[in-house]
Amino acid sequence: MAHTSSLRFGASLLVAALLAGCATPPASGPTELTLLSINDFHGNIQPAKPTPLMARVPDPTTGEVKPQPAGGVAHLATALAQLKARNPNAVVVAGGDLIGASPLISNLLRDEPTLAAMSELGITASALGNHELDAGLPELLRQARGECGANGCLWPGYKGPGFPYLGANVLDAATGKPLLPTHVITQAGKLKVAVAGVATLDTPKVIVARAIRGIRFTDEADTLNALVPQLKAEGAQVLVAVMHEGGVQGPGSSANDPTYACPTLTGRVQDIAKRLDPAYAIIIGGHTHQAYTCKINGRLVVQAGSYGGWITESHLKFDAQGRVTEATAVNHPVLQSVYAPNAALAELVARAAALTEAARTKPVATLPQGASRFAKEPHGDSALGNLIADSQLAFARKQGPADVAFMNPGGIRAELVVEPGKPTTMSDLLAIQPFGNDIVALTLTGQQLWDILQRQLPKGDAAPRMLQPSSTLRYRWRAGADGNPQLGEILIDGQPLNRTRDYRVVVNNFLSEGGDAQTGFKHGRDRAVLGTDIDALVELLRDNPRAVLQAAPGRIVRE
């Protein structure tokens, strides 16, 4: 498949969009286009420890629906190769977050092995994800260009991913110009296809402020709509939008909806899709780690789950005037039992494992049980969220007074899985907390703390997504008669919250800067950086392996 670059660099590369709608009619007669997409890979090159994804799908042999190991870049490569063999002109794109928040096997090597592996998958372009910016734009640009910098690369022979990150809405705050390419034009059989990409407008809410200093993010739909005349002028016959934004489906939904109705789909994707120019033939998403095949106003809107555990295969048919006459999509689970590992990429993973083995396998403690990061009704807290908050409070109290700690659930990236009699390792813990966040102590009034707790309660039918508290905080809440949530009694160290006194609160630096829309923490006074989140967790588990037993849910209860 030939490639023509219409890449516009402002200061580098980022966020992507996929193939674009019909601008110039196809040359002759009906035409078809196949798109293969992945998203939110997050450096999960390894097949196990941790297993990238346990996909709950029918067993290929017995038909029994059960969780099965999926993902691993060597298995993903084989699955993509088989799909491309059936569709030789298929265009492969990604919805962002291919790196960042990665397991130790990739994280320790600055995600260079992941990007080296991605270069073997035939990806045309990727949208910029918020996690691609975790280490800042200059570092992403270095990685994308295949440069090693003054300190050299950690991956031998590193040459970059071989594709651009697209970020049409990622602008220099001073000049208003894009810092990354806005789109690529690629030839797919008879069709000239434009893939335009954007990052989520919410990037400033989900990343530390220092990583995006000097960057402004604009509305996804408005940005993509403004590109349409240029894409058509460049001769694109099909426009594809790729964005690092998506939706969430409700309980009981499936990765594949044969009706494409997706009645429980919610999230920002709905508004974006309804405002997006109909010139775009399809919207390929990411960010929410959901697998779905939907249609909004008749247009395909798809996402491929996360961690390389799924591939979305989308087919578009066009008439002689370039109109979409048929649009279908299916999410394929990348089951390790079905797709044999690609030998070259299995060897790449083995090399990365060898380079990181000493750090990854360093034992921390032998624990009596694991802990889940998922809360279950009527509780709003999870065992793992509680354990992390407990670790940060204990760490802070070694350095001074502290009353309560909070952990944001989105920062907990994996389960704590324990094998009986075997020590939990640094790799296990860094898979859970891969960001290297600082722990910050700050002072809030009781009223400010009450406001934070009230503001994070779910409204209407929204799923609860509570700040995970240390053992010193307990409270109950209920849905009011008007549908609005109401706080019940709040206890700190067994005493009712006093709205007029000061409390010393411990959070990570992401929350302290207002991350996850928790702007109340930005009011914190007398700030002190105490250390890192991973050091706190390691210390607690080494000092008290039974702390995992003391983190049982029940600190937040819905009445």
Side-chain angles (χ1 to χ4, degrees):
M1 179 174 60
H3 251 63
T4 337
S5 276
S6 286
L7 308 181
R8 302 233 282 193
F9 291 84
S12 341
L13 312 154
L14 235 64
V15 164
L18 252 79
L19 304 170
C22 306
T24 306
S28 58
T31 318
E32 299 184 16
L33 173 66
T34 297
L35 298 164
L36 304 175
S37 54
I38 62 172
N39 54 272
D40 296 279
F41 186 77
H42 289 289
N44 277 266
I45 57 174
Q46 78 295 334
K49 296 183 179 179
T51 301
L53 188 74
M54 295 297 290
R56 189 173 179 79
V57 294
D59 183 281
T61 303
T62 67
E64 178 189 0
V65 177
K66 63 180 183 180
Q68 299 168 69
V73 74
H75 299 278
L76 177 65
T78 299
L80 277 171
Q82 291 185 16
L83 290 170
K84 285 191 282 188
R86 300 204 297 260
N87 304 281
N89 292 315
V91 177
V92 184
V93 296
D97 273 5
L98 299 178
I99 58 173
S102 306
L104 217 54
I105 190 173
S106 183
N107 191 326
L108 283 173
L109 301 172
R110 297 196 294 242
D111 278 322
E112 291 169 5
T114 293
L115 292 174
M118 292 292 110
S119 73
E120 302 297 320
L121 301 184
I123 296 172
T124 294
S126 174
L128 175 68
N130 52 285
H131 283 293
E132 263 99 14
L133 292 173
D134 281 346
L137 181 60
E139 171 63 4
L140 175 67
L141 294 176
R142 177 198 72 78
Q143 293 168 317
R145 292 168 178 156
E147 298 170 352
C148 290
N151 297 322
C153 288
L154 298 179
W155 184 249
Y158 180 67
K159 293 182 173 60
F163 58 81
Y165 276 101
L166 305 179
N169 65 336
V170 182
L171 310 181
D172 185 308
T175 66
K177 294 182 178 179
L179 291 166
L180 298 168
T182 60
H183 65 283
V184 296
I185 303 287
T186 189
Q187 193 71 33
K190 298 178 181 179
L191 291 171
K192 195 173 185 181
V193 178
V195 178
V198 288
T200 173
L201 177 63
D202 284 346
T203 298
K205 297 179 182 178
V206 293
I207 193 169
V208 292
R210 66 173 179 270
I212 54 171
R213 199 165 287 126
I215 301 176
R216 179 165 62 91
F217 296 83
T218 57
D219 181 84
E220 302 93 340
D222 291 347
T223 300
L224 290 169
N225 290 347
L227 272 177
V228 170
Q230 179 183 347
L231 302 180
K232 291 182 176 181
E234 293 179 14
Q237 296 164 290
V238 179
L239 308 185
V240 175
V242 174
M243 64 181 188
H244 191 65
E245 186 55 271
V248 176
Q249 294 200 93
S253 57
S254 171
N256 292 295
D257 184 341
T259 71
Y260 300 100
C262 299
T264 65
L265 184 70
T266 60
R268 295 193 61 242
V269 67
Q270 287 277 5
D271 173 66
I272 294 169
K274 290 170 183 175
R275 292 189 294 113
L276 189 66
D277 193 308
Y280 288 95
I282 185 173
I283 300 171
I284 297 174
H287 191 46
T288 56
H289 291 213
Q290 298 266 309
Y292 53 75
T293 53
C294 307
K295 289 183 180 179
I296 299 176
N297 291 346
R299 175 167 47 194
L300 267 180
V301 177
V302 301
Q303 191 179 157
S306 61
Y307 305 148
W310 297 89
I311 299 170
T312 307
E313 179 183 13
S314 302
H315 290 284
L316 303 174
K317 291 185 179 180
F318 306 90
D319 63 17
Q321 285 70 48
R323 293 184 294 256
V324 176
T325 58
E326 185 178 335
T328 59
V330 60
N331 273 312
H332 299 283
V334 184
L335 298 181
Q336 295 177 4
S337 62
V338 173
Y339 299 103
N342 173 282
L345 286 175
E347 194 274 333
L348 180 150
V349 173
R351 279 189 287 137
L355 286 171
T356 58
E357 182 177 12
R360 287 187 300 105
T361 59
K362 185 178 180 180
V364 175
T366 300
L367 305 179
Q369 67 181 39
S372 174
R373 59 182 164 149
F374 299 110
K376 295 182 179 179
E377 289 281 3
H379 302 138
D381 55 319
S382 70
L384 187 50
N386 292 346
L387 181 67
I388 293 170
D390 287 347
S391 74
Q392 296 184 7
L393 182 65
F395 192 81
R397 283 181 163 177
K398 291 178 180 179
Q399 303 181 49
D403 297 297
V404 62
F406 294 101
M407 177 62 191
N408 56 304
I412 307 172
R413 308 302 292 196
E415 300 280 89
L416 175 57
V417 178
V418 170
E419 296 183 48
K422 293 186 178 181
T424 294
T425 66
M426 287 298 297
S427 181
D428 298 323
L429 299 187
L430 281 163
I432 294 166
Q433 291 196 110
F435 301 113
N437 283 329
D438 289 329
I439 297 172
V440 179
L442 49 85
T443 299
L444 293 169
T445 67
Q447 181 63 54
Q448 289 171 327
L449 197 49
W450 188 94
D451 290 341
I452 288 170
L453 294 176
Q454 175 64 41
R455 189 173 186 272
Q456 49 116 41
L457 294 178
K459 295 175 179 59
D461 296 328
R465 188 175 171 82
M466 311 292 209
L467 291 166
Q468 304 293 283
S470 60
S471 62
T472 52
L473 176 69
R474 293 180 180 272
Y475 67 92
R476 305 175 81 85
W477 70 281
R478 70 188 70 84
D482 59 357
N484 290 318
Q486 299 174 353
L487 278 172
E489 186 177 43
I490 303 169
L491 300 177
I492 295 184
D493 273 331
Q495 299 299 313
L497 176 74
N498 184 339
R499 298 201 198 187
T500 63
R501 65 156 279 195
D502 283 346
Y503 290 92
R504 198 67 173 155
V505 179
V506 182
V507 292
N508 59 42
N509 61 293
F510 173 65
L511 281 177
S512 76
E513 296 169 3
D516 266 354
Q518 297 294 341
T519 55
F521 291 114
K522 295 175 74 173
H523 299 299
R525 316 183 311 274
D526 305 322
R527 293 168 178 255
V529 176
L530 307 178
T532 67
D533 55 5
I534 195 64
D535 286 343
L537 187 55
V538 167
E539 280 195 17
L540 179 68
L541 295 179
R542 281 181 177 162
D543 293 347
N544 180 19
R546 295 182 64 80
V548 69
L549 299 176
Q550 299 155 6
R555 300 171 186 179
I556 305 172
V557 179
R558 179 175 183 171
E559 296 178 342

